[in-house]
């Protein structure tokens, strides 16, 4: 097991009605707040009005910036940075999902930085400071509510790039499962695939002696596999929604990766699909992850046997481990299919004519992943497996 430091400063407040506390939480960080949100579901549901009332009651002045698109764009981040500077805003409140939170994070590190905010995402600068950031979460998926990362799409070249800096972790996140009742089945499933992938990116490691966190990951996966179909069949089942919401945070708050060398190749491979075809991130992962597994399992078969047996209860074939492994991958595909996700490029209407270009873009900054470092040809082979 690797040495590690675990520190997660995000205060999570979880349960029915917790968004009513947003004014009290936000008031600890200043008087003037940027209310950042997406395409309008929070307006239609009445959440925006409730959040505004709570902020005003706590004496906060509100400036708003809506319009964050899924796969959030750099141009809006730049607009937000200018707005925050011009208005002298003290803190940012993201009300929405991963896209809104990531856009807010990029604004928050861009404001105190003299250069262009894309420098962080292009690997040219390190963020040392950030404005304080709070979250009211409406979709359990990206885990951005307590992660130190943001993923932004630069329209100039359609580059989707992630950036991680410890200063980006939100100060607080309010998680009310009732706010997720309105999520359509497909968005719910995309979120489930994303949190599943966040655990798998950590699970597939070459690091020895990580048996304890292996079992944490396996239990988290089993919990998601059990609760997701319930949340989709009964959108207003509070228990199922609550379990999925907490799982999404735990999957990506760093706990499950401690002491391990994480992989993250599948995320890099998926980002090309989102960047070029605007595919929902979770749907892209449901396509890419099983293909990645098929390509790399020979590198560490025992880990894949363990996955199949412990997560999906596949019967171990002692004389033919490959059969056990392939059955585990089939079970993962079957799970994604059952909750309504595509598992092949064609099923998401993604044509096969730009696979080579995507493989080159994905590896432009060097090989992807650590379980098996992947060069351009490896990534191309994975896209082809996803097209099979
Ligand atoms: O735009 P609005 O109106 O808010 O609608 C959203 C959006 O259309 C809608 N939605 C959200 N909550 C809803 C709702 N609709 C009805 N009822 C609700 N309660 O759902 C749509 C998708 O929202 P989005 O924020 O894009 O989803 P998600 O949370 O999955 O975020 C995806 C983004 O996060 C990035 C992804 O790459 C992608 O850009 N990621 C960020 C990470 C991080 N910062 O740590 C890690 C992840 O791996 C991921 O890469
Ligand atoms: Zn993800």
């Amino acid at each position: 097991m690797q040495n590690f430091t675990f520190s997660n400063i995000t205060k999570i407040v979880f349960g029915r009605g917790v968004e009513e506390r947003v004014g009290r939480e936000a008031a600890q960080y200043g008087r003037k707040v940027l209310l950042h949100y997406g395409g309008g579901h929070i307006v239609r549901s009445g959440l925006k009005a409730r959040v505004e009332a709570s902020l005003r009651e706590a004496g906060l002045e509100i400036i708003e910036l809506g319009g964050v698109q899924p796969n959030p764009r750099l141009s809006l981040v730049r607009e937000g940075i200018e707005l925050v500077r011009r208005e002298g805003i003290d803190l940012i409140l993201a009300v929405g999902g991963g896209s809104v939170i990531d856009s807010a994070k990029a604004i928050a590190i861009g404001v105190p930085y003299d250069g262009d905010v894309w420098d962080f995402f292009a690997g040219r600068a390190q963020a040392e400071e950030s404005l304080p950031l709070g979250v009211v979460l409406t979709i359990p998926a990206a885990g951005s509510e307590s992660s130190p990362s943001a993923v932004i799409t630069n329209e100039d070249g359609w580059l989707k790039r992630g950036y991680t800096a410890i200063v980006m972790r939100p100060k607080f996140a309010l998680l009310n499962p009732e706010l997720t009742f309105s999520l359509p089945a497909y968005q719910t499933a995309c979120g489930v695939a994303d949190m599943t992938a966040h655990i798998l990116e950590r699970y597939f490691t070459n690091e020895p002696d990580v048996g304890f966190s292996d079992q944490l990951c396996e239990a988290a996966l089993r919990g998601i596999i059990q609760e997701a179909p319930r949340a989709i069949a009964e959108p207003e089942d509070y228990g199922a929604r609550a379990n999925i919401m907490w799982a999404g945070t735990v999957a990506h708050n760093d706990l499950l990766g401690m002491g391990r060398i994480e992989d993250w190749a599948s995320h890099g491979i998926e980002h090309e699909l989102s960047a070029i075809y605007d595919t929902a991130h979770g749907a892209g992962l449901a396509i890419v992850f099983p293909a990645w597994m098929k390509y790399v399992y020979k590198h560490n078969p025992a880990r894949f046997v363990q996955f199949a047996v412990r997560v999906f209860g596949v019967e171990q074939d002692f004389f033919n481990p490959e059969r056990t492994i392939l059955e585990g991958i089939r079970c993962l595909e079957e799970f994604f299919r059952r909750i309504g996700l595509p598992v092949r490029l064609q099923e998401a209407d993604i044509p096969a004519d730009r696979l080579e270009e995507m493989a080159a873009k994905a590896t432009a900054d060097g090989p992807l992943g650590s379980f098996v470092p992947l060069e351009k040809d490896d990534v191309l082979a994975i896209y082809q497996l996803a097209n099979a």
Side-chain angles (χ1 to χ4, degrees), residues 109-155:
I109 55 170
V111 169
Y113 177 61
D114 282 340
D116 177 21
V117 65
W118 187 250
D119 288 350
F120 299 122
F121 296 86
R124 292 192 289 264
Q126 287 299 324
E128 309 288 348
E129 287 178 78
S130 167
L131 248 56
L133 173 75
V135 172
V136 177
L137 185 66
T138 64
I139 168 168
S144 186
E145 64 277 8
S146 74
S147 85
S149 312
V151 188
I152 297 293
T153 297
N154 186 341
E155 300 94 320

Side-chain angles (χ1 to χ4, degrees), residues 241-270:
R241 290 291 197 184
N243 276 287
I244 288 296
M245 197 166 208
W246 185 222
T249 301
V250 173
H252 200 42
N253 73 354
D254 286 345
L255 176 70
L256 302 182
M258 288 301 106
R260 312 169 75 91
I261 295 178
E262 303 178 4
D263 188 63
W264 296 99
S266 298
H267 267 67
I269 297 170
E270 191 293 309

Side-chain angles (χ1 to χ4, degrees), residues 21-51:
R21 283 175 56 160
V22 67
R24 228 186 311 159
E25 298 294 338
Q28 296 172 36
Y29 300 97
R31 299 257 64 90
K32 203 165 180 182
V33 56
L34 180 75
L35 175 55
H36 201 34
Y37 61 97
H41 93 267
I42 70 160
V43 179
R44 293 188 293 280
S45 69
L47 174 62
K48 181 164 178 274
R50 291 208 305 284
V51 165

Side-chain angles (χ1 to χ4, degrees), residues 337-382:
R337 278 215 165 97
R338 193 154 30 101
I339 60 174
L341 292 173
V343 294
R344 294 289 182 276
L345 293 173
Q346 309 86 292
E347 293 166 14
D349 294 326
I350 298 175
D353 56 346
R354 294 176 74 177
L355 303 186
E356 184 120 20
E357 174 195 341
M358 290 195 293
K361 265 178 84 192
T363 52
D365 299 332
L368 282 182
S370 65
F371 187 73
V372 178
L374 302 171
E375 307 283 353
K376 182 192 155 199
D377 285 349
D378 301 309
V379 174
L380 179 59
I382 291 169

Side-chain angles (χ1 to χ4, degrees), residues 40 62 129 159 187 209 229 244 282 303 311 329 346 355 374 382:
I62 305 165
E129 287 178 78
L159 299 170
Q187 286 296 347
D209 296 322
I244 288 296
R303 184 153 281 286
V311 176
I329 299 172
Q346 309 86 292
L355 303 186
L374 302 171
I382 291 169

